[in-house]
Amino acid sequence: MRAVYLVKNGKADQAFEIRETENPQVGALEIRIKVEAFGLNFADVMARLGMYPDAPEKPGILGYDVIGHVDALGPDVSSELKEGDRVIALTRFGGYAEYVSTDFRGVVPIGDHVGAAKGTALATQGGTAYYMAREMVNIYTGDHVLVHAAAGGVGSLLCQMAKANGAVVYGTAGSDKKLEYLSSIGVHHPINYRTDDFAKVIQKHIDQTESNGLDVIFDPIGGNSVRKGFKLLGSGGRLVLFGASSMTSAKNVFSKLNVARGFGIYHPVSLISPSKALIGVNMLRIADHRPDTLHRVMLGTVDLFNKEVIKPLSGGEYPVEELNLAHAALENRQTMGKIAIRW
Ligand SMILES: NC(=O)c1ccc[n+]([C@@H]2O[C@H](COP(=O)([O-])OP(=O)(O)OC[C@H]3O[C@@H](n4cnc5c(N)ncnc54)[C@H](OP(=O)(O)O)[C@@H]3O)[C@@H](O)[C@H]2O)c1
């Protein structure tokens, strides 16, 4: 089979090589998938830049999610899936390939009509959003919820899930086009963080409405935005941290230290008195140590999609030869929604 290897950290046009390699074996609890397309994730950009500790060693095959057809099932797999079924899957790397094997609990059926970008978005971005918004926190009618990178893959689905639960949604994004999209999906308060300080905008709202503060924040940015967010939380508020994309803009060790300092320091006691919670989420750890949770989350995500509660945004499909262009676009914040790469 062919696979795309990450051979070098750095710029997208020098980082990848398509190579011939053996098809992956099928482990006892694994399903092997013939891949139609694989999805891109922001973590892939961080891996390419050498900023992702969990990434496979070079030369290695990245890739968290694929859409394709079941090719083979391991002997201990207990699943209704059979050879030829169309599926989406969360892969523990190895997704940038024509075939990939992955734990059967990360594989769920998907309809033939579902496009590659939307399908792969359901696996990683959808699963992550569902786990955070449906399992790690509860969102109730009237709750005030802030979503950062709201026009992105995970962010847009978080907005939709929060809205479906009746929340008042604030979403930050970095361009007018992204803000227009946020309005189109019903985000009540789209905020362009490049022109407005999100914390000031929201604080003004809190003051004007004499509300308790934010109930839930979803933050993949890290650094300063966490410290600012923590202050905006009301009693009972929860801040869910699931990334540190601001690290990618920090070009030297001093700016990295600045980002790290920006998070703030929280003694556990400082959470008790104001009754606030900080929650960290890493879906790799969930996939590794709670495969049954992952399975429940993926089935729940596809169910929300089938019921049209969530509509993942397609950021387009690129042929594998243009992977470098797609990677650079994701790194440079030019994308909206999920990008899929077709074989
Ligand atoms: N913890 C987990 O298990 C998990 C799982 C999946 C994803 N994630 C994290 O969730 C976030 C979203 O992932 P995604 O794949 O759905 O990507 P995405 O949101 O579609 O793309 C990233 C977006 O983040 C925003 N951004 C803010 N600061 C940035 C920076 N310094 N550099 C680049 N982009 C920046 C940009 O939007 P604006 O133009 O609006 O700023 C950009 O378009 C990422 O941080 C990712 O690492 C975490």
Side-chain angles (χ1 to χ4, degrees):
M1 69 166 189
R2 288 177 299 163
V4 183
Y5 281 80
L6 175 69
V7 292
K8 203 168 152 189
N9 292 124
K11 288 197 159 69
D13 57 356
Q14 290 159 20
F16 297 110
E17 261 178 39
I18 298 178
R19 294 181 178 178
E20 280 292 332
T21 183
E22 295 293 313
N23 283 8
Q25 301 288 315
V26 194
L29 288 171
E30 287 185 331
I31 289 179
R32 186 169 61 204
I33 297 159
K34 179 166 177 14
V35 176
E36 264 172 55
F38 55 86
L40 292 198
N41 290 282
F42 197 73
D44 302 358
V45 172
M46 298 194 77
R48 167 167 61 74
L49 296 174
M51 292 181 175
Y52 195 58
D54 282 318
E57 300 239 321
K58 293 189 299 295
I61 309 174
L62 304 177
Y64 279 116
D65 47 57
V66 298
I67 187 163
H69 293 85
V70 172
D71 174 62
L73 298 98
D76 296 341
V77 168
S78 85
S79 162
E80 286 176 5
L81 287 169
K82 53 188 189 319
E83 251 180 68
D85 284 351
R86 192 163 190 252
V87 290
I88 55 169
L90 191 83
T91 54
R92 187 62 159 92
F93 302 111
Y96 286 20
E98 287 183 302
Y99 288 86
V100 63
S101 294
T102 194
D103 189 293
F104 78 93
R105 288 156 292 192
V107 185
V108 293
I110 194 81
D112 287 341
H113 62 285
V114 181
K118 291 187 185 209
T120 51
L122 289 173
T124 310
Q125 279 79 5
T128 306
Y130 186 101
Y131 180 68
M132 295 193 288
R134 294 288 169 113
E135 301 233 342
M136 295 309 288
V137 302
N138 293 317
I139 297 174
Y140 297 101
T141 303
D143 277 356
H144 287 246
V145 175
L146 167 62
V147 178
H148 286 296
V154 182
S156 57
L157 293 169
L158 282 171
C159 291
Q160 294 170 41
M161 287 179 195
K163 264 198 64 92
N165 284 18
V168 175
V169 182
Y170 302 74
T172 67
S175 73
D176 289 343
K177 193 172 161 211
K178 291 185 180 184
L179 259 61
E180 270 169 39
Y181 166 69
L182 293 183
S183 297
S184 79
I185 59 168
V187 169
H188 303 89
H189 302 285
I191 303 169
N192 186 336
Y193 66 84
R194 290 182 193 274
T195 53
D196 289 308
D197 181 335
F198 79 85
K200 284 190 184 151
V201 175
I202 294 172
Q203 188 59 56
K204 199 168 155 196
H205 239 272
I206 293 171
D207 295 342
Q208 279 169 351
T209 53
E210 295 179 11
S211 75
N212 166 45
L214 294 180
D215 298 286
V216 181
I217 301 174
F218 296 104
D219 190 322
I221 311 290
N224 229 346
S225 98
V226 174
R227 197 195 331 228
K228 287 179 171 182
F230 191 75
K231 285 190 189 148
L232 293 170
L233 286 181
S235 302
R238 290 136 289 158
L239 198 161
V240 187
L241 281 163
F242 65 107
S245 46
S246 53
M247 271 294 176
T248 57
S249 312
K251 296 296 176 215
N252 57 46
V253 76
F254 297 108
S255 36
K256 284 192 173 77
L257 278 174
N258 257 341
V259 174
R261 243 199 332 254
F263 276 89
I265 293 169
Y266 307 87
H267 190 280
V269 174
S270 72
L271 304 176
I272 299 171
S273 169
S275 198
K276 297 183 182 185
L278 286 172
I279 298 165
V281 165
N282 178 348
M283 289 310 284
L284 280 188
R285 295 285 102 76
I286 303 304
D288 285 348
H289 304 299
R290 293 180 175 267
D292 293 330
T293 302
L294 175 71
H295 193 59
R296 181 176 68 235
V297 161
M298 289 193 60
L299 289 174
T301 309
V302 172
D303 186 49
L304 287 186
F305 171 71
N306 289 337
K307 290 178 176 151
E308 297 188 13
V309 175
I310 54 169
K311 293 180 180 157
L313 176 66
S314 165
E317 294 180 14
Y318 290 63
V320 71
E321 295 75 19
E322 292 179 9
L323 172 67
N324 57 338
L325 299 180
H327 246 258
L330 185 57
E331 179 182 0
N332 297 325
R333 311 186 193 190
Q334 288 158 354
T335 62
M336 264 172 60
K338 179 82 172 185
I339 292 181
I341 308 292
R342 271 198 180 277
W343 284 103

